[in-house]
Amino acid sequence: MSEQTFVNDFISIGMTEYFTRKTATTFESHIVECLADIYGYDNLKSAYDSKNEGNFATLLHRYGLSRTTFDNFLRDTIKYESFKEENKKDPSVKSDLASKIESHIITMFLYKCLLIEPSLEEISHFENDLLNNFAMIKHHFNTSLNPNKTRETWEKKKKMLEDSVELIEIKPKYLDAFTYAKYGTSLEEVKKMDYRMVEELNNYIESKEAETPIVAPKRMPNKKGSRLLRDTAISSGNGYVDALLIAGIIATEMSIGLIYLFLHF
């Protein structure tokens, strides 16, 4: 282990890739991303930047994680690096170590939820990072004995979570239908968006309204020889709103793709 290693090779690799290279495309960085979801991005980065392994251990014990689970988590991450080298040499060598490490992550999340009631958004965000990272889905199918093991574990634990805590649903604040229509969308479409997307869209519209109010087209008098202007939605002239809507469509398509993937493999 080099002097630059933080905790162990697995944690060090994951921290470097996630915080320095801003990626979560390797299993190590994927696990660090999930840790950031649980313990907070800034808290985890602070422990890494200080290179204080004691701070890292204290952070992971914050919500009551047992010493045994913590030790097993670190032990399995060390084993994973050895397995990774074996798998590189011989791709037929497979193991459920990745799922075992993710099970530790699920346990950490549950410990937090028992102390701090989670919102539906927080659960959904964690679940998405844990299960819907396409690079990790591919990784599990290529290296795991049971590619669906983490998903199966999460579904069981999630049921326990729903039974033991009162989930708090975050309901977004919507603007009126007329305002959305002026920007080329509808209240019905906005209600299909994620809570965060609605907030971003509302902030964008409100900032534009504050700058220059957009006036809807007036219906021209019905004079002989003239035509009535059709009521049409006005575009903002900016691709941002359209991008939000497209993002919603893409998210839906990704979900459909995941369902297809797990039904056909």
Side-chain angles (χ1 to χ4, degrees), residues 10-45 48 56 59-60 73 101-102 105-106 108-109 112 122 124-137 196:
F10 182 103
I11 299 298
S12 188
I13 291 170
M15 292 282 196
T16 300
E17 291 177 342
Y18 186 66
F19 290 122
T20 304
R21 301 173 188 170
K22 309 297 182 183
T23 64
T25 55
T26 65
F27 185 68
E28 293 91 340
S29 58
H30 159 66
I31 291 300
V32 171
E33 179 181 49
C34 291
L35 287 174
D37 288 342
I38 300 169
Y39 298 102
Y41 180 96
D42 292 337
N43 293 332
L44 195 61
K45 189 174 188 301
Y48 173 63
F56 176 77
L59 182 62
L60 265 63
F73 168 68
I101 293 170
E102 287 174 329
I105 293 295
I106 292 173
M108 294 176 193
F109 183 70
K112 178 182 179 180
E122 288 170 329
S124 177
H125 182 75
F126 174 76
E127 180 178 42
N128 185 62
D129 285 346
L130 178 70
L131 301 178
N132 297 337
N133 181 322
F134 282 100
M136 293 306 101
I137 292 173
R196 288 161 292 185

Side-chain angles (χ1 to χ4, degrees), residues 79-98:
K79 290 179 180 178
Y80 176 85
E81 290 303 306
S82 297
F83 161 71
K84 185 172 71 172
E85 292 304 314
E86 291 180 34
N87 181 260
K88 282 182 180 179
K89 296 176 183 177
D90 182 1
S92 67
V93 176
K94 297 190 176 185
S95 169
D96 280 333
L97 263 174

